[in-house]
Amino acid sequence: MVAVFNKELLSWYLITVKLRETVESGIPKTSTSSGLLELPEQPQEQLQKQQQTPSESLHIVIGEDAENCEDAATSPDSEWVISIKEKLEQARQDDEAGSWAKLSIYKVPQHLREGGDDRAYVPQIVSLGPYHHGKKRLRQMDRHKWRSLHHVLKRNTQDIKIYLDSMKELEEKARACYEGPISLSSNDFAEMMVLDGCFVLELFRGASEGFTRLGYPRNDPVFAMRGSMHSIQRDMIMLENQLPLFILDRLLGLQFGKPEQKGLVAKLALRFFDPLMPTDEPLTKGERNKLESSLGNANIFDPLSDQVGLHCLDVFRKSLLRSGPKPEPPKIWTKRWSQTNRVADKRRQQLIHCVTELREAGVKFRKRKTDRFWDIKFKNGILSIPRLFVHDGTKSLFLNLIAFEQCHFDCSNDITSFVIFMDNLINSPEDVGYLHYCGIIEHWLGSDAEVADLFNRLCEEVVFDINDSYLSRLSEDVNQYYNHKWNAWRASLRHKYFNNPWAIISLVAAVVLLLLTFAQTFYGVYGYYRPVS
């Protein structure tokens, strides 16, 4: 039995067999009277042999093809199984503890990109690291990177091989900081680290020491604190555009002849990114000393410490938080919802009512004199909020800080808590206008409506647990004050009758007139019952 899988071969086989049967059946019936020539016996036998030979060879071909077809039929299955095993092996490698422990530079999750502005996460001028390396629209800055590397080598009279060999030593550790496999070869990866790292350090040192001292002309298109520098700063603070801090430490140490030095890069980074700070509240020396003493000396941020941060975004975040907010434990009604492994409930992200509603309940707003924008206080019906400066880079800054807090496990959600608190406070342009009137919000955007829209969109797809917020206890106190009816009545009375001097004068006149009327009535009744004798 010959198994046939190829339809084309089968068709030719059947046609050949049919032709042979027709020829064999037709030859005996042929007579001389039919007018047809009678074939000689020998040619007829040769014809039959010729017909039989292709048939037999066809059987052989079909048999061989059947075996190949059987192999082809089983081949896709075997390849499928092999591909699954390869994926499982990759999953096993990814699931190893070491593969996630050092991860610190993440790709922004898709749900956060859809909720916010994708441009806020993608560099527009310069790429750092592998995620956006080699993109066509960012290649224009590559020649300036090579210029910076040339200046470094010329200024220090060093050979490039020193830097490349050092990056080779740190390659495995650096690759572990990034999410997913990096397609760059070992040489390309080391080259990228040296080129991008030296470019970053030149910008840091130029902002601190002056670019002219580093050998750059005063009118340099990139290495000067003007022009596109603000856009470069905004690109360099993005989560996907980071270099590991130990890479920058090593490169700067090689320039100074101290490869193991740490901490100086963080100090330079803070000075470079200072224009992006969301607050510019000036403090006198006495106010600063008073503020430091009130916070104590524990856990004060030190940019020169050995364990200062993972990358520039992490360093910037820690500098914003300084000693860091210390969340107070939630009250009993909140505790019953709090579980260690509970998934954050998207429905419970309303920390507080908006400004308009709180004002109607008698809550007052005041600007707090501090440079820690997150340090919000509430006491005796007064909500004290530090001054917040909103500019065109604030959206990108907060979105990347929130993305880092959402992705990194060993990270608090303090920035997210503050942004959601402000999102709850601001529901309309009127809310922004009142906070601006109180000196709490200062912005350079086109209108109050743009500021309201900015805060309302920052946390659209952010999953947040109010029980983990450092503002949860404060929000409970504000909400209790809001729910007290007497506070609302008192606020309504003050708003209607004591909101301007003329209303106060009218109220006083009405009270005096009422008292006089009462006195006149009293003495009239009193004289009637006790007339003067």
Side-chain angles (χ1 to χ4, degrees), residues 215-232:
Y216 295 96
R218 185 176 58 85
N219 59 345
D220 193 281
V222 173
F223 299 98
M225 295 304 293
R226 60 176 181 81
S228 60
M229 185 56 67
H230 179 68
S231 299
I232 293 175

Side-chain angles (χ1 to χ4, degrees), residues 87 160-161 188 327-328 334 338 365 412 426 435 458 507 516:
K87 293 176 182 178
I160 185 61
K161 195 172 185 304
D188 291 340
E328 299 182 30
T334 309
S338 181
F365 291 83
S412 65
I426 298 173
L435 293 177
L458 282 177
L507 179 64
L516 292 175

Side-chain angles (χ1 to χ4, degrees), residues 469-486:
S469 171
Y470 76 97
L471 292 168
S472 61
R473 181 63 181 269
L474 180 142
S475 302
E476 293 169 21
D477 294 340
V478 174
N479 290 332
Q480 283 188 356
Y481 189 92
Y482 173 85
N483 293 327
H484 203 289
K485 297 299 182 184
W486 167 247

Side-chain angles (χ1 to χ4, degrees), residues 128 143 147 213 233 291 301 337 375 379 426 433 513 520 524:
L128 303 174
R143 65 189 185 98
R147 285 177 55 225
R213 291 188 59 185
Q233 290 172 333
L291 182 62
F301 176 74
W337 291 94
D375 197 7
K379 186 177 180 181
I426 298 173
L513 182 61
Q520 182 181 10

Side-chain angles (χ1 to χ4, degrees), residues 2 75 85 92 108 124 262 293 314 316 329 399 405 486 498 512 519:
V2 179
S75 179
K85 290 182 179 179
R92 184 190 66 79
V108 178
Q124 304 299 313
K262 295 180 180 179
S293 62
D314 187 36
F316 187 79
L399 283 175
E405 289 187 349
W486 167 247
F498 298 97
V512 171

